[in-house]
Structure formats: structure tokens, C-alpha cells
Amino acid sequence: MRKNLPVTGKELVLEGDDLLVSRTDLRGVIVYTNPEFVQVSGYSEAELVGQPHNIVRHPDMPPEAFADLWRTLKASRPWVGMVKNRRKNGDHYWVLAQVTPYHESGAHVGYMSVR
């Protein structure tokens, strides 16, 4: 499991209307991020696109949560759960993540996450 360090213990509290969106390929590599995701993560779009989505994984998150996420997605079902993410500077933020299989022209090409 990726161990993103350092962590600061400082929380960024998101506003109720913040909408963070990302898409990945079938392996979990980021192919799209919306501007809000870029801003909250603290990374630039160029630093995010092409990287595994776990670039924002906080080390406090139990590996079992992501095992459940991938098990659910591989069964072609959407997954919903609370996730603690790490910002580039080591701060963190909490999201209610909704991840679903993403299709283009009828083909399953990846996953979309809305937080």
C-alpha cells in the first residue's frame, strides 16, 4: 500500500457545496480531474493526471476500505464510503466518496468518483 507522507494533522474543512470529481482508467490511474479536486488536493492538474488515484490516499485509511472498494467495483457495482484524503502539503480532508464504473460508447473504460 502506498504510504503518503508526511502528514500534518491539520484538517481542511470542505464547504457543503464543494464537488470534487475525478475519473480513472480501469487500473485507477487518473485521466481527469475537475478544478475543485485540483484546488483541494493541493496538486496541479499535471501532477495528478497520469498518477494512481492513491496519490491522495491518507495513511490513516485502512487498507480494508480500499479492498472493499475494488471488490465492489469489480462486481460492477457503485461504492460509497467516507474517505480521509491527504493533500500535497500533508493536511487532510474528509469526503463522502461515491465511485462508479464509467462507460464510453458502451464500453467500460474506468471509474468516476464524485465527492
Side-chain angles (χ1 to χ4, degrees), residues 6 13 18 20 25-26 35 37 39 51 57 85 94 112 114:
V13 178
D18 287 331
L20 313 180
D25 65 13
L26 293 170
F37 181 80
Q39 189 270 324
Q51 294 299 311
R57 179 180 291 173
N85 282 337
W94 286 95
M112 178 178 283
V114 179

Side-chain angles (χ1 to χ4, degrees), residues 22-33:
S22 60
R23 281 196 327 257
T24 70
D25 65 13
L26 293 170
R27 297 170 302 137
V29 174
I30 298 170
V31 297
Y32 167 81
T33 60

Side-chain angles (χ1 to χ4, degrees), residues 1-67:
M1 181 176 97
R2 183 181 193 128
K3 190 82 164 174
N4 293 330
L5 294 172
V7 294
T8 64
K10 182 179 175 192
E11 181 177 4
L12 171 68
V13 178
L14 301 179
E15 299 299 321
D17 58 352
D18 287 331
L19 186 62
L20 313 180
V21 179
S22 60
R23 281 196 327 257
T24 70
D25 65 13
L26 293 170
R27 297 170 302 137
V29 174
I30 298 170
V31 297
Y32 167 81
T33 60
N34 75 338
E36 290 85 355
F37 181 80
V38 170
Q39 189 270 324
V40 169
S41 74
Y43 290 93
S44 70
E45 181 180 17
E47 290 174 305
L48 292 167
V49 173
Q51 294 299 311
H53 204 285
N54 65 9
I55 191 172
V56 295
R57 179 180 291 173
H58 195 283
D60 287 352
M61 283 298 297
E64 295 82 7
F66 296 103

